[in-house]
């Protein structure tokens, strides 16, 4: 699961201004009968027709249909016509897409923007009081800023430790200190795995650094972590060990790419939906690579990577927790306890503080238990982004 | 086509195997020929026929089960020839042909000729009350039929088509040898799964001593339409699949991209009128897919989920506009499946896909062992399949959720043209 480009209901630039709908609660208890009727929006070259311009407060569903022949967008603004409550982008001609927003009683402005330019075709929209408890407990902009700032700092910190640890690892490897290199391999990779979804978003670096042998294209040179892994834990037969020059070459190549990665993450900004998707994405990494034992097929150090993915996912979630606690406290509770359960399962395989048993000693029923725990966590976690950006 | 049945419940064709058996004899067979076979013979296999048709002729210029409107169910099997005798192999192909003629007409193996009470019945029986159910049986020859360990087999040296080689290792392939390749393959498609399974079971039984089943795959729902009269079905990702598939009505396209032409391969004139069958068992990471947002799903596929319209707009059959720009680049992403697989992005190459959804229960991790059993028929795999799959395996965003676990390539000989002929006879004469 790669880091998905920021484009959820609230795009990057919006979050940095007023936080769009993020600052409004979507506590599920507050919704209900109010959101039942879908409002159809017909966007054409010169019109933006809504089936109604009045709706009761709560969750509003706009079914935006593009009847024009240009790409269109739909915005739902607050009364000032500036603050975006919700938006839908990139609707191709003939297509429909749903926008769900949470709106308190008041005046709003709906706008279609055929061709994605200009102020759009605007219509006043009134949200009446549905009579339910519509008290909106808002998310503080400060919480949003804190979440994005903290996450950026976390990635930079991990990346910088990755450079240090990788340096130690490739140095030991080049010097022929195999025992030491084998110890350092899973430890150093921890820093990679914690920020794996970010690292993978650099499509040119990832295949050079973390490609598994099975994923090679014919003719493609195999470099990076797993190339060295195989040399340190060689198969019993049919393998020719790398010589001194090759050790130096593959080690330096990995280190150079690591430094490039580190320099690139210095300038990265994150949106809350990227952080949310990244958290879930790390669990996908666990599900698809680590639980199956395919990640570290030679060293069997998969549990280190597993733990590091979970660490990264938890950090991302914890950064967003203040937002989710407001938006959907029940979901937040569920995620939190699922993290705890997964950690308890994982801890059974610890050997000392920082080490794990070799994954080839973990039996199939034990792997299934881990897999079930991952599913139990990843399912609610997959709802995180939708919940905080609604 | 419809002959009301009185004694036994029958299918719309009005012919059931039980009735044939009950009446046991030439008279009953004649009914079969008039009621079912008659229609089918008149419309040889190159006429793809209507979806849901109750029987398709076995003989014809081309084998059935290729441009035939995709039936709903599949049972696919690969066999290895265990004998090294050319005569045994020919006998097997003759026996398979006879059984295939019977079963595709809704008649039992052995044609219902009575056997001793002390002998096992010729037909295994589970399809006795069912009609032909649109059964087609399509046979193919794998590279290992021609040569194994560098040695020619069955006197076929010099006859192996140049393109008939084991498929290359594509990026991220995780092939299980026990689900890959094979000297022979049989694709059984039918409207009723029991009929398809019955066919493979009986062919396997006939083969004992000469060939043994290597692996088999059930497909429970078609994922392709091969006729414009069919709606586009959905794969297990929940999306319509194969909208841009080659359809049998596109006769020029079928000639250009499916059937091997005279002179295509000087070593393999016997294959003219035939084609190549590519099979790939593609596991889907169902659980992680289900947790991905609709935004991610649609952008990876490049179509909207509900209608199947390309994200550049229109309806399902609107041509995608790969240049149309949205906020962050083209509306149809650069790594989207529809872009990478589309003929316009592959030098105009089209494939006739005939894949099926499958599930084989769950795996040791409690996940669905499910996905797409991809089947495609191409005129030249080196041109019409391998380049595209290489690109897809390396670049398709969907690969995040896919794992290829089985693979095979077979040359599919032309149809059996004479009543005394047998499947593959052009190769063995």
């Amino acid at each position: 699961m790669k880091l998905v480009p920021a484009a959820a209901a609230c795009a990057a630039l919006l979050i940095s201004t007023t936080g769009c709908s993020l600052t409004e609660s979507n506590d599920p208890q507050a919704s209900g009968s109010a959101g039942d009727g879908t409002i159809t929006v017909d966007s054409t070259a010169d019109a933006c027709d809504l089936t109604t311009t009045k709706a009761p407060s709560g969750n509003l569903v706009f079914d935006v249909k593009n009847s024009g022949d240009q790409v269109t967008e739909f915005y739902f603004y607050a009364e000032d016509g500036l603050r975006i409550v919700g938006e839908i982008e990139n609707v191709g001609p003939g297509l429909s897409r749903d926008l769900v927003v949470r709106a308190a009683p008041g005046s709003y402005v709906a706008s279609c923007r055929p061709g994605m330019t200009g102020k759009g075709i605007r219509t006043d929209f009134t949200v009446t009081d549905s009579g339910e408890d519509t008290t909106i407990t808002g998310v503080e902009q400060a919480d949003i800023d804190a979440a994005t700032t903290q996450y950026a700092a976390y990635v930079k910190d991990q990346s910088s430790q990755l450079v240090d640890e990788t340096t130690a690892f490739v140095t030991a490897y080049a010097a022929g200190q195999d025992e030491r290199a084998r110890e350092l391999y899973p430890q150093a990779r921890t820093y990679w795995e914690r920020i794996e979804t970010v690292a993978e978003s650099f499509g040119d670096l990832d295949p050079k650094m973390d490609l598994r042998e099975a994923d090679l294209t014919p003719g493609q040179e195999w470099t990076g972590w797993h190339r060295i892994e195989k040399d340190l834990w060689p198969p019993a037969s049919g393998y020719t060990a790398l010589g001194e020059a090759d050790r130096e070459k593959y080690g330096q190549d990995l280190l150079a790419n690591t430094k490039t990665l580190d320099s690139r993450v210095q300038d990265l900004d994150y949106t809350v939906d990227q952080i949310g998707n990244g958290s879930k994405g790390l669990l996908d990494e666990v599900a698809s690579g680590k639980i199956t034992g395919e990640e570290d097929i030679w060293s069997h150090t998969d549990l280190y990577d597993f733990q590091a993915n979970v660490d990264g996912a938890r950090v991302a979630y914890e950064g967003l927790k203040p937002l989710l606690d407001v938006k959907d406290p029940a979901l937040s509770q569920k995620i939190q306890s699922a993290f705890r359960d997964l950690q308890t399962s994982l801890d059974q395989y610890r050997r000392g503080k920082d080490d794990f048993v070799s994954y080839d000693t973990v039996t199939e029923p034990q792997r299934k238990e881990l897999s079930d725990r991952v599913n139990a966590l990843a399912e609610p976690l997959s709802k995180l982004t939708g919940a905080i950006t609604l | 086509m419809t002959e009301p049945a009185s004694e036994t419940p029958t299918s719309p064709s009005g012919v059931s195997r039980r009735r044939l058996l009950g009446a046991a004899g030439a008279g009953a067979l004649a009914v079969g020929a008039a009621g079912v076979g008659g229609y089918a013979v008149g419309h040889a296999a190159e006429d793809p026929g209507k979806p849901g048709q109750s029987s398709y002729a076995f003989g014809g210029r081309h084998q059935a089960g290729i441009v035939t409107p995709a039936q709903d169910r599949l049972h696919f099997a690969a066999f290895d020839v265990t004998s090294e005798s050319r005569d045994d192999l020919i006998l097997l192909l003759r026996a398979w042909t006879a059984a295939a003629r019977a079963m595709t007409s809704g008649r039992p193996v052995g044609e219902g000729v009575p056997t001793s009470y002390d002998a096992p019945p010729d037909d295994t029986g589970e399809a006795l009350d069912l009609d032909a159910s649109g059964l087609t049986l399509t046979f193919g020859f794998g590279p290992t039929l021609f040569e194994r360990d560098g040695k020619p087999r069955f006197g076929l040296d010099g006859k192996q088509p140049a393109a008939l080689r084991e498929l290359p290792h594509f990026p991220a392939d995780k092939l299980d040898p026990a689900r890959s390749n094979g000297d022979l393959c049989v694709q059984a498609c039918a409207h009723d799964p029991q009929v398809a399974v019955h066919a493979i079971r009986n062919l396997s039984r006939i083969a004992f001593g000469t060939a043994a089943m290597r692996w088999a795959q059930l497909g429970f729902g078609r994922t392709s339409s091969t006729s414009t009269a069919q709606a586009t079905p959905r794969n297990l990702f929940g999306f319509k699949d194969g909208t841009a598939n080659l359809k049998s009505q596109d006769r020029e396209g079928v000639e250009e991209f499916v059937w091997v032409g005279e002179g295509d391969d000087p070593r393999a004139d016997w294959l003219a009128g035939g084609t190549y069958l590519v099979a790939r068992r593609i596991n889907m990471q169902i659980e992680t897919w289900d947790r991905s947002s609709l935004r991610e799903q649609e952008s990876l596929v490049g179509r909207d989920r509900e209608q199947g319209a390309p994200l550049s707009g229109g309806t399902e059959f609107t041509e995608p506009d790969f240049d149309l720009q949205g906020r962050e680049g083209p509306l149809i992403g650069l790594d989207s499946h529809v872009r990478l697989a589309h003929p316009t992005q592959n030098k105009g190459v089209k494939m006739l896909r005939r894949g099926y959804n499958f599930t084989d229960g769950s795996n040791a991790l409690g996940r669905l062992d499910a996905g797409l059993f991809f089947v495609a028929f191409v005129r030249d795999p080196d041109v019409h399949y391998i380049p595209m799959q290489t690109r897809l395996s390396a670049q398709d965003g969907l690969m995040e959720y896919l794992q290829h676990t089985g693979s095979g390539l077979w040359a599919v000989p032309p149809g059996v043209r004479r009543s005394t002929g047998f499947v593959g006879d052009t190769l063995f004469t």
Side-chain angles (χ1 to χ4, degrees), chain A residues 1-2 7-8 71 73 89-90 93 95 116 214-216 218 280 284 287 291 294 364 368 371 375 378-379 382, chain B residues 169 171-174 288 291-292 295-296 309-314 324-328 331 364-367 400 403:
Chain A
M1 215 331 294
K2 296 190 178 70
V71 181
E73 298 173 326
E89 292 178 326
N90 296 331
L95 297 189
M116 304 184 291
D215 297 345
L216 285 170
K280 187 220 109 190
D284 286 351
I291 282 192
E294 290 165 285
E364 279 202 345
K368 180 170 188 299
S371 177
N375 279 337
E379 194 60 35
S382 71
Chain B
H169 175 91
D173 269 4
K174 202 186 168 222
T288 47
R291 297 199 273 266
S292 60
R295 177 189 302 281
E296 183 185 347
L311 291 183
S312 54
L324 191 62
Q325 297 294 310
R327 280 269 160 203
E328 306 92 15
L331 286 179
L365 293 172
R367 300 175 184 169
E400 198 79 34
Q403 195 162 55

Side-chain angles (χ1 to χ4, degrees), chain B residues 6-363:
Chain B
S6 45
E7 312 122 48
T8 46
T10 59
S11 59
S13 79
V15 177
S16 87
R17 288 164 221 246
R18 179 180 287 167
R19 268 189 78 194
L20 290 176
L21 269 183
L29 293 179
V31 171
V36 179
Y39 178 87
V41 167
H43 298 252
E46 59 192 291
D47 182 343
K50 298 188 300 258
Q53 194 172 309
S54 66
S55 82
Y56 297 100
F58 178 72
R61 205 160 87 79
H62 309 294
Q63 289 197 56
I66 301 168
V67 295
T68 309
Q71 300 95 324
D72 284 334
R73 324 290 171 188
L74 167 82
H75 195 184
F76 186 96
F79 294 84
D80 282 335
V81 183
T82 51
S83 162
E84 287 302 319
S85 151
R86 179 182 167 104
D87 290 344
D88 284 354
L89 176 57
I90 291 173
L91 277 176
L92 170 64
L93 294 171
R94 284 189 180 279
W96 271 4
T97 302
R101 283 189 198 280
M103 292 189 288
T104 56
S105 307
R107 304 193 303 270
V109 171
E111 304 285 5
V113 176
T115 47
S116 160
Y117 199 54
D118 292 313
D122 285 339
D123 188 283
T124 56
E126 73 272 32
L128 288 179
D129 307 322
L130 307 169
D131 73 352
S133 190
L135 176 70
T136 56
L137 290 164
T138 314
F139 296 83
F141 300 149
T144 47
L145 188 72
F146 296 82
E147 191 184 288
R148 197 170 58 191
D149 304 326
K151 292 196 191 101
R153 303 176 76 191
F154 309 111
L156 295 174
D157 36 328
K159 298 229 174 170
Q160 181 170 358
L164 186 65
R165 303 180 310 273
E166 191 175 330
L167 290 171
H169 175 91
F170 297 108
D173 269 4
K174 202 186 168 222
L175 304 182
D176 178 353
R179 294 186 189 279
S180 298
N181 307 320
D183 296 343
L184 302 167
C185 79
V186 186
Q187 173 196 262
C189 298
H191 308 315
D192 184 324
Q194 181 115 332
V195 169
V197 169
H198 168 261
I200 293 297
R201 174 181 173 183
N202 281 272
L203 294 177
S204 174
R205 182 183 174 204
I206 290 167
F208 286 142
T210 305
M213 198 182 286
R214 180 181 170 91
W215 57 273
Q217 181 68 55
L218 275 176
F220 68 81
R222 68 181 173 93
T223 64
S224 296
S225 45
T226 51
S227 164
T228 51
Q230 291 180 296
T232 311
R234 290 178 189 270
N235 60 29
L236 294 185
F237 280 157
F239 279 75
K240 291 187 179 180
D241 203 348
T243 293
N245 201 21
L246 193 53
K247 305 288 197 300
S248 58
Q249 284 80 358
D250 177 2
R251 291 190 180 257
E252 276 175 34
V254 169
E255 285 302 324
E256 186 178 353
F257 295 112
V258 178
W259 306 128
V260 173
E262 301 277 351
D264 272 15
D265 182 344
R267 292 206 293 179
D269 272 345
W270 62 269
L271 189 56
T275 179
Y276 291 88
L277 185 160
V278 179
R280 303 283 291 177
R281 184 177 187 271
I282 306 174
N283 271 90
M284 292 174 166
Q285 311 285 350
I286 300 283
E287 290 75 13
T288 47
W289 174 264
D290 292 347
R291 297 199 273 266
S292 60
S293 65
L294 185 58
R295 177 189 302 281
E296 183 185 347
Q297 293 184 4
E298 290 193 346
S299 61
L300 288 176
V301 173
R303 293 183 179 277
D304 96 303
R305 187 169 88 147
E306 197 168 322
Q307 304 294 330
L311 291 183
S312 54
T315 55
E316 184 192 344
F317 292 101
T318 306
E319 277 299 306
D321 179 350
F322 295 111
D323 299 322
L324 191 62
Q325 297 294 310
R327 280 269 160 203
E328 306 92 15
L331 286 179
I332 298 176
L334 297 176
D335 66 348
S336 66
H337 184 76
V338 69
R339 177 185 290 268
L340 293 165
H342 200 267
T344 58
Q345 311 290 310
N346 288 282
K347 299 182 179 163
V349 164
K350 291 186 179 184
M351 275 190 304
L352 191 142
R353 277 174 288 166
R354 228 171 171 285
Y356 286 82
N357 292 323
F358 75 84
T359 176
D360 291 333
S362 59
N363 65 19

Side-chain angles (χ1 to χ4, degrees), chain A residues 18-90:
Chain A
T18 53
C20 72
S21 62
L22 270 174
T23 50
E24 284 157 35
S25 165
N26 59 316
D27 181 346
Q29 276 101 50
S31 63
S33 60
D36 288 346
T38 295
I39 302 152
T40 306
V41 181
D42 190 22
S43 171
T44 59
D46 48 16
C48 185
D49 293 326
L50 282 72
T51 47
T52 177
T53 54
K54 193 182 269 190
S57 56
N59 281 359
L60 309 184
V61 181
F62 295 96
D63 177 12
V64 182
K65 161 102 178 145
N66 182 1
S67 303
D69 50 14
Q70 288 177 295
V71 181
T72 198
E73 298 173 326
F74 177 75
Y75 290 86
F76 194 64
Y77 296 103
E79 188 172 14
D80 61 6
L82 294 172
R83 189 173 70 81
I84 298 167
V85 179
E87 63 160 331
I88 284 285
E89 292 178 326
N90 296 331

